[in-house]
Amino acid sequence: MSTPDAPPMDADSTAPERSDYDSPWKEAIGAYFQPFMRLFFEPVHERVDWRQPHEFLDAELQKITGDSQIGKRFADRLVRVRGREGQELWLLIHIEI
């Protein structure tokens, strides 16, 4: 039995049900990557050559991290960009929701 302040309980478990708060953030970062970087990481944003395409490397990130102990890290993004001086930069973005 749960109280009004307690998280909902899964029918097959005594653990609280986990909501998926990460996926919408991952989609938003993908759709609004440049403004996201400008708002939250302005010094990094200034180093990126935004005329060049960027590439999300989520499959590569999954190979490296796998599943964490608390579940999949859907809000983590690995992005390959080009710096203003032409160098390749890899950005690991982690958001804790």
Side-chain angles (χ1 to χ4, degrees), residues 72-86:
K72 292 185 179 184
R73 297 180 182 192
F74 290 118
D76 290 353
R77 302 298 307 254
L78 181 61
V79 189
R80 181 176 22 217
V81 298
R82 287 276 169 203
R84 291 183 179 226
E85 292 146 15

Side-chain angles (χ1 to χ4, degrees), residues 27-40:
E27 290 176 28
I29 292 169
Y32 302 102
F33 181 60
Q34 184 177 354
F36 168 84
M37 292 299 295
R38 183 174 44 243
L39 180 63
F40 293 106

Side-chain angles (χ1 to χ4, degrees), residues 33-34 37 44-57 77-93:
F33 181 60
Q34 184 177 354
M37 292 299 295
V44 176
H45 179 273
E46 292 173 0
R47 294 185 56 196
V48 174
D49 181 356
W50 293 104
R51 298 170 298 174
Q52 301 297 320
H54 57 273
E55 180 182 3
F56 290 99
L57 303 171
R77 302 298 307 254
L78 181 61
V79 189
R80 181 176 22 217
V81 298
R82 287 276 169 203
R84 291 183 179 226
E85 292 146 15
Q87 75 279 28
E88 180 177 275
L89 303 172
W90 288 41
L91 309 175
L92 175 62
I93 300 169

